[in-house]
Amino acid sequence: MSHPHVLILGGTTEARRLAADLAARPGIRVTTSLAGRVTRPGAVAGEVRTGGFGGSEGLAAWLREHRVSALVDATHPFAGTITANAARAATATGTPVVVLRRPGWSPGPGDRWHPAASLAEAAALLPALGRRVFLTTGRLGLAAFAHLDGIHFVARSVEPPEPPLPPDTRVLLARGPFTVADETSLLREHRVDVLVTKDSGGAATAAKLTAARDLALPVVMVRRPPLPAGVGAVPDVPAVLRRLGLGGP
């Protein structure tokens, strides 16, 4: 089964890997769509478009206009709105769709995880857990913590966050991957007593969890939003290729 035009909703490491694989295959056109929230995204093989589609109807129109044969949603696990729009657009156009989601993290022996269903719930847990917080929820999530006084935040993001921010915040601009030694040094230097993160999964940012475990720090783990009803996910690029009829059994 051939798919002459595959649209990847990207922005993740897995999306770049998939685009590189497809672009190297003769006869397959691959387009990666980026949201445009990062000003210097990594290099992507094949064609690239930037910006939103205008909801599910706009995406459906794009799928028809560009004769897309298969849609791969390889966005961040917390991009719930995009995933819902992709599912609706695929249904409206009859386009095969595959959702690629790296597996989430799981607590191990020695971990002190406190699950939260949302950033707001994570913020509500903090006063009882610590006063010096390492916040790694992304630059668009800081507003959920802006009302908290008496807590010092060290917030790390790839690009500068936009207000509102918590009143006592130090921003660190950095892009992973990070080593356990780096994360341990950071936690000690800033005297962090609680870590807040999203369950993004993957190895690039997992070192902070190991560092927190080694230092016996509590971790507030924000759970992923559920996938739309009837939508399943595959864990890696080979599984996507098999779904597209381009891989092994």
Side-chain angles (χ1 to χ4, degrees):
M1 178 180 180
S2 63
H3 294 277
H5 190 190
V6 179
L7 174 63
I8 302 172
L9 305 181
T12 60
T13 300
E14 292 80 11
R16 289 193 294 274
R17 289 174 183 163
L18 178 62
D21 186 293
L22 293 176
R25 295 172 182 251
I28 295 181
R29 177 186 173 193
V30 56
T31 302
T32 297
S33 178
L34 302 175
R37 290 174 176 168
V38 178
T39 56
R40 292 183 298 168
V44 179
E47 302 174 35
V48 178
R49 71 171 300 279
T50 303
F53 290 94
S56 61
E57 293 182 358
L59 176 54
W62 203 96
L63 295 175
R64 294 189 188 99
E65 178 183 355
H66 296 270
R67 301 179 182 273
V68 172
S69 308
L71 173 62
V72 180
D73 174 6
T75 55
H76 192 276
F78 284 81
T81 299
I82 299 174
T83 295
N85 286 341
R88 286 193 288 266
T91 298
T93 59
T95 305
V97 60
V98 183
V99 178
L100 170 56
R101 289 288 183 273
R102 71 184 74 134
W105 293 315
S106 298
D111 283 323
R112 299 171 56 197
W113 286 14
H114 299 261
S118 65
L119 291 176
E121 188 173 306
L125 292 174
L126 286 182
L129 293 175
R131 287 292 182 269
R132 299 185 65 85
V133 177
F134 184 31
L135 192 59
T136 64
T137 55
R139 68 185 180 94
L140 301 178
L142 272 64
F145 304 87
H147 64 287
L148 292 174
D149 292 313
I151 295 179
H152 174 70
F153 287 91
V154 177
R156 184 169 67 196
S157 63
V158 175
E159 300 203 353
E162 299 177 359
L165 306 179
D168 184 3
T169 301
R170 177 171 181 178
V171 175
L172 304 178
L173 300 180
R175 185 192 298 267
F178 306 101
T179 68
V180 174
D182 290 338
E183 300 291 56
T184 301
S185 177
L186 185 152
L187 294 173
R188 284 175 170 159
E189 176 186 351
H190 294 279
R191 306 195 310 281
V192 169
D193 54 19
V194 58
L195 165 67
V196 181
T197 192
K198 292 178 175 179
D199 182 15
S200 300
T205 58
K208 61 192 171 189
L209 301 176
T210 302
R213 180 192 311 129
D214 292 344
L215 296 174
L217 300 182
V219 174
V220 177
M221 183 66 68
V222 182
R223 295 192 295 265
R224 298 177 176 187
L227 290 170
V231 174
V234 299
D236 53 32
V237 169
V240 173
L241 295 173
R242 288 193 293 272
R243 286 285 187 93
L244 297 179
L246 299 170

